[in-house]
Amino acid sequence: MIALITPTCPTPKATTETPVLISGAGPTGLFAGILLAKMNIPCRIIEREFEISPLSKALGIHARTQEILDMTDPSLLQEFMDQGFMMPNIHIYYNGKLAGEIKALPNKESHFKKVLYLIQNKTVKILADAFEKASGTKVDRGWELIDTKVVEGSSADGDSWVETTMRRAVVGTNKRAGEANQIFGTLELVEEDEEKRYEYEVVKSRYLIGADGGRSAVRHKINMPFPGRTRNVNMIIFDGILDTTIDLEKMNVINGNGHRLVAMLPLGEKDRVRIVFVKGFLEPEEFELQKSKPIIVEEFQQMLDDAVSPLQLKITKVNWLTYYRVNERRAQEYSYKGRIFLAGDAAHVHSPAGGQGMNTGLQDAYNLAWKMAMVINGTAPSTLLNSYSEERTAIGDEIIQLSSESLEGIWAGNLIQRCVRRVAVALAPIILRLVANRAPKMSMLGLRYYESSLNKSHKTQKASASDVGAIGCRARDGPLVPFLGRIDSGHNSDSESSHISNGPTDTSGKEGENRSNNSESDEGSNYDRHHSRTANNMTSDDTVRLHELMAHPGVFQILVFTGNLWKHRPAAASELVQSLEHYLAKWRSTWPSSGSLPVESNENKESLRPQFMVHVLTTVSASEAATAAQFLAARRNVVGEGKVHTDVGKMLHKRYGIDAAAAKNEGKGAIVVIRPDSHISYRVRGVGQSAWEDVHGYFESILI
């Protein structure tokens, strides 16, 4: 039951302004703040709780999320790597015995091969520190949002803004008398507690991001419908320390007595686990009756004993113990009057099966922040923000469906109970096929935005029937070396006999050690991350990944695939330089970026943050196109300014659906536009003048 009684407050003591107000300092709100700060947009994050919750909550960080963290700030991902651990193997128990082991298979789509595990309070601490570093401000804790609305401007200017009223307890906390200590359920906005004093503030902002969880005050105050269903699966969630002979460093699934399921996930601390206990099914009235009686440790211990016998799981410490009811709901829209936006659990909730929740929220922020920054900076029309709800509601539906299928197939025990009676040899292939079929979606690498006002196919060129490099797909990664590559000793870089060595770089040291455990050989190419991240300090010995070159939040990346064009038409190199110089200058003058981006250089000065970066990818070596090599090496030596890289093993040409071997004339090759959240938004065949003009037309269609 939801009580929406707005407190009667005295005249606010303060009125402040900020471009963006973010309600909620969980992972979604913090990541949105980090992204905005990196794009030079001031924002303020408010959070009702005075301290970071100690509850473990979300755990898994999928491959796609690792990619976006890395492209946002490599040091940010490194913090997660240092504190987290990779997904362990899964042990399956039946009749009190280990029936089989399922290996945690690496995905083949990303440099980041496995799920990274880290308890949410550590995730929040890392993100909060990163927000403070990026913005120079801290999360404003203790503030409770009690009202928000969009205020329409006068008829003269026709503008609007968001007006948000919030309060903070002067003494004590914001927790009200009789309020349940649970993180799931409905929201209650009630009158002030007696004998408690509050301070009030009204915040005027251009935009408000509601990232305040499943019981979102923002969603309630704008009366946004939250349709969906409540599942009748009856779960208990436990976080604590166990005494047992079971290997707690593995993920363990116990098919218990009475068709009960016990799933245990390690939390990275000795003997500490998360237990998801599925104890059957309850009708809504039965669940409400159960919830009214607080669960006690002794009662839960008896449930475990009954379910897992003859195995033993003795509870020695409890951090968190709660009943949990699965809700599958999605806000009708993620935006309200073009000013208020919902993200994370405020926009969508579903079962914990598959660990998609926090990842989806972080990717909501990744989709929204760059659009909001461009509009605030004046480099895009406000209509660009319409694509946020359009794109992310579709993803929300897909994730809810995926988690629902996982719940029915695994957490409810149906699949395992059917299969686990078989010997482990027969069990493993069945489970592995299931995992393989769902891997791209479970890792969130296969999620795609489809054609829209932002993602456009070429007007006359027929799109490929294949999904390889298609519009809306994630920008795929791959190894690159600077065009001249590694020159053998005794050869001059201008010599036609020079050739490229594509061997792996030296990754000695902590970063290389940490990353190597998460990086495996990919399609025959063995490559690792390199220490160097800055454009100006790359040498001919550097091997990089494409995503490393794209580690600039808020920037459109233009990939120019030339294949072996210069082998057949060396003069095309100079033609290409003229085109990219002309259009790069034209785009930057038409849509100038504000703010500055630190760049390491001899002068150690700052330069304007680029809005557009161009990367040229070729499959020919210096010996095959010496004239082009000399010309381009002299003119294009800064990443993002048209610097040329060799596509190792033609891998990226293949991954973007481009025939490298056929690029013998101006009509071959391709230009691919990667939007700031690293999804393909436009592509055109050819690299000549007409192709560049088409790309310019695309930018005009979305930015004017």
Side-chain angles (χ1 to χ4, degrees):
M1 183 175 181
I2 304 173
L4 292 175
I5 306 174
T6 303
T8 302
C9 63
T11 302
K13 294 182 179 180
T15 300
T16 57
E17 295 187 16
T18 183
V20 182
L21 178 65
I22 301 174
S23 178
T28 300
L30 288 167
F31 191 48
I34 292 168
L35 290 164
L36 289 169
K38 285 182 173 293
M39 291 180 280
N40 302 295
I41 303 299
C43 62
R44 180 179 179 186
I45 302 179
I46 60 170
E47 167 58 45
R48 182 187 173 205
E49 301 300 327
F50 281 88
E51 302 290 340
I52 295 174
S53 170
L55 304 182
S56 55
K57 299 184 185 179
L59 297 174
I61 302 171
H62 287 290
R64 177 57 179 161
T65 304
Q66 293 176 55
E67 285 185 348
I68 68 175
L69 289 170
D70 192 41
M71 285 185 280
T72 298
D73 186 343
S75 65
L76 178 61
L77 178 64
Q78 190 62 52
E79 281 293 324
F80 282 94
M81 293 284 188
D82 290 343
Q83 297 191 38
F85 60 96
M86 292 303 161
M87 178 179 178
N89 292 346
I90 304 172
H91 281 178
I92 306 293
Y93 286 85
Y94 183 72
N95 280 342
K97 296 181 180 180
L98 181 62
E101 180 176 15
I102 302 173
K103 293 185 177 181
L105 296 178
N107 72 74
K108 297 180 180 180
E109 295 290 320
S110 174
H111 176 75
F112 302 102
K113 301 298 180 182
K114 296 182 181 179
V115 180
L116 176 66
Y117 279 93
L118 185 67
I119 56 178
Q120 185 168 317
N121 58 322
K122 292 185 178 181
T123 291
V124 170
K125 179 63 167 62
I126 291 172
L127 293 174
D129 290 345
F131 171 71
E132 181 178 349
K133 179 181 177 181
S135 67
T137 61
K138 294 185 177 182
V139 173
D140 212 348
R141 292 190 170 275
W143 288 104
E144 176 184 14
L145 185 147
I146 60 174
D147 195 22
T148 189
K149 59 186 177 181
V150 175
V151 180
E152 301 295 339
S154 65
S155 57
D157 55 38
D159 201 3
S160 62
W161 64 88
V162 183
E163 186 176 279
T164 301
T165 304
M166 56 192 193
R167 72 181 182 188
R168 178 166 60 183
V170 177
V171 178
T173 71
N174 282 335
K175 187 174 180 181
R176 295 176 289 271
E179 182 178 2
N181 183 25
Q182 58 180 356
I183 65 168
F184 307 104
T186 56
L187 175 76
E188 297 180 1
L189 297 178
V190 299
E191 298 285 356
E192 298 177 358
D193 287 345
E194 294 183 5
E195 301 180 354
K196 182 175 285 189
R197 292 187 300 112
Y198 296 90
E199 58 178 326
Y200 289 84
E201 184 176 338
V202 172
V203 180
K204 178 180 178 181
S205 61
R206 287 188 62 174
Y207 299 104
L208 167 66
I209 300 176
D212 49 348
R215 299 187 292 169
S216 170
V218 174
R219 191 184 65 242
H220 283 298
K221 296 310 297 184
I222 62 176
N223 294 315
M224 181 62 69
F226 201 43
R229 63 175 177 170
T230 300
R231 304 296 299 271
N232 64 350
V233 178
N234 187 24
M235 292 184 180
I236 297 174
I237 294 181
F238 164 87
D239 172 350
I241 306 296
L242 294 182
D243 182 9
T244 179
T245 57
I246 293 176
D247 185 354
L248 297 181
E249 292 186 357
K250 299 290 193 297
M251 295 179 64
N252 293 283
V253 178
I254 302 173
N255 292 268
N257 306 314
H259 301 289
R260 297 178 180 182
L261 187 75
V262 179
M264 297 192 297
L265 294 80
L267 297 180
E269 299 175 6
K270 182 174 174 55
D271 297 332
R272 183 182 176 187
V273 297
R274 160 85 62 78
I275 292 178
V276 178
F277 183 89
V278 182
K279 58 174 296 191
F281 303 89
L282 288 179
E283 294 304 316
E285 58 273 12
E286 294 176 307
F287 182 80
E288 290 301 320
L289 180 63
Q290 173 183 270
K291 190 177 67 172
S292 65
K293 299 179 294 183
I295 185 172
I296 59 176
V297 178
E298 291 77 11
E299 179 184 0
F300 182 60
Q301 179 68 72
Q302 186 61 54
M303 292 180 192
L304 282 178
D305 292 343
D306 293 342
V308 305
S309 176
L311 297 171
Q312 292 185 349
L313 302 175
K314 183 180 179 181
I315 298 171
T316 61
K317 180 181 179 182
V318 177
N319 298 322
W320 177 25
L321 182 62
T322 183
Y323 290 112
Y324 176 57
R325 196 72 185 274
V326 173
N327 279 284
E328 296 173 349
R329 302 183 182 277
R330 194 260 287 168
Q332 183 171 296
E333 299 291 338
Y334 287 7
S335 63
Y336 176 74
K337 294 187 176 181
R339 293 291 177 185
I340 298 176
F341 299 87
L342 300 175
D345 288 353
H348 43 76
V349 294
H350 46 78
S351 90
Q356 308 292 317
M358 180 183 70
N359 292 269
T360 306
L362 293 173
Q363 292 172 40
D364 289 341
Y366 195 54
N367 181 290
L368 176 62
W370 71 269
K371 300 172 182 178
M372 190 172 286
M374 290 191 70
V375 173
I376 292 174
N377 281 333
T379 55
S382 59
T383 53
L384 179 64
L385 285 165
N386 296 340
S387 64
Y388 170 67
S389 185
E390 177 186 9
E391 293 183 328
R392 295 306 295 176
T393 52
I395 294 296
D397 289 339
E398 191 171 346
I399 293 299
I400 289 172
Q401 179 64 29
L402 179 64
S403 66
S404 178
E405 293 172 355
S406 299
L407 176 69
E408 293 168 357
I410 298 179
W411 293 116
N414 297 334
L415 174 68
I416 293 176
Q417 288 179 19
R418 288 199 306 269
C419 298
V420 78
R421 292 173 175 81
R422 308 180 185 186
V423 296
V425 174
L427 171 65
I430 294 172
I431 301 295
L432 292 177
R433 279 200 300 272
L434 172 71
V435 173
N437 290 337
R438 295 186 178 181
K441 289 186 177 180
M442 295 297 286
S443 65
M444 310 188 83
L445 296 167
L447 296 179
R448 174 182 175 183
Y449 303 131
Y450 290 89
E451 290 191 30
S452 64
S453 59
L454 178 57
N455 310 308
K456 300 185 178 184
S457 291
H458 193 275
K459 292 181 179 179
T460 60
Q461 296 178 3
K462 184 178 180 180
S464 171
S466 171
D467 286 341
V468 178
I471 299 299
C473 288
R474 146 190 169 268
R476 299 186 69 185
D477 199 7
L480 296 168
V481 293
F483 183 54
L484 293 183
R486 183 175 301 139
I487 309 301
D488 288 342
S489 59
H491 292 287
N492 185 280
S493 62
D494 292 339
S495 171
E496 292 188 12
S497 61
S498 301
H499 67 277
I500 299 173
S501 171
N502 292 331
T505 58
D506 177 18
T507 54
S508 58
K510 186 175 184 180
E511 181 177 8
E513 179 182 352
N514 289 340
R515 305 278 184 156
S516 62
N517 292 329
N518 200 31
S519 173
E520 298 187 12
S521 186
D522 188 9
E523 297 182 7
S525 172
N526 180 18
Y527 65 98
D528 290 309
R529 301 171 55 87
H530 192 275
H531 299 300
S532 301
R533 311 284 313 201
T534 305
N536 289 346
N537 67 8
M538 287 188 178
T539 71
S540 60
D541 286 336
D542 286 315
T543 300
V544 297
R545 293 181 295 105
L546 176 60
H547 282 189
E548 290 184 278
L549 305 182
M550 295 166 56
H552 299 277
V555 177
F556 281 96
Q557 309 282 345
I558 297 94
L559 309 183
V560 183
F561 291 88
T562 64
N564 62 3
L565 175 64
W566 300 331
K567 181 176 181 180
H568 302 276
R569 292 184 60 235
S574 60
E575 297 171 7
L576 179 60
V577 168
Q578 292 173 9
S579 293
L580 72 85
E581 283 184 340
H582 170 74
Y583 282 99
L584 195 54
K586 188 173 185 178
W587 297 333
R588 289 178 177 176
S589 63
T590 305
W591 300 285
S593 183
S594 62
S596 58
L597 173 70
V599 175
E600 294 182 19
S601 65
N602 293 333
E603 295 80 15
N604 196 28
K605 296 179 180 179
E606 290 188 339
S607 65
L608 285 179
R609 172 180 292 277
Q611 192 77 64
F612 305 89
M613 299 179 72
V614 178
H615 313 279
V616 180
L617 281 62
T618 182
T619 61
V620 300
S621 67
S623 60
E624 293 175 304
T627 302
Q630 296 171 27
F631 187 84
L632 287 159
R635 299 289 298 277
R636 305 285 95 198
N637 60 359
V638 178
V639 169
E641 303 295 317
K643 183 177 177 65
V644 185
H645 284 83
T646 297
D647 180 8
V648 178
K650 305 177 184 179
M651 185 182 297
L652 283 166
H653 280 70
K654 297 174 186 175
R655 289 182 166 182
Y656 284 81
I658 297 162
D659 186 355
K664 298 181 179 180
N665 56 64
E666 186 176 342
K668 301 298 182 179
I671 302 176
V672 178
V673 177
I674 310 297
R675 33 189 268 188
D677 56 1
S678 61
H679 282 263
I680 299 171
S681 58
Y682 185 74
R683 58 183 295 153
V684 56
R685 288 194 296 274
V687 296
Q689 173 67 24
S690 62
W692 286 91
E693 188 60 38
D694 288 341
V695 173
H696 178 70
Y698 164 74
F699 284 132
E700 286 187 320
S701 73
I702 66 168
L703 299 180
I704 293 181

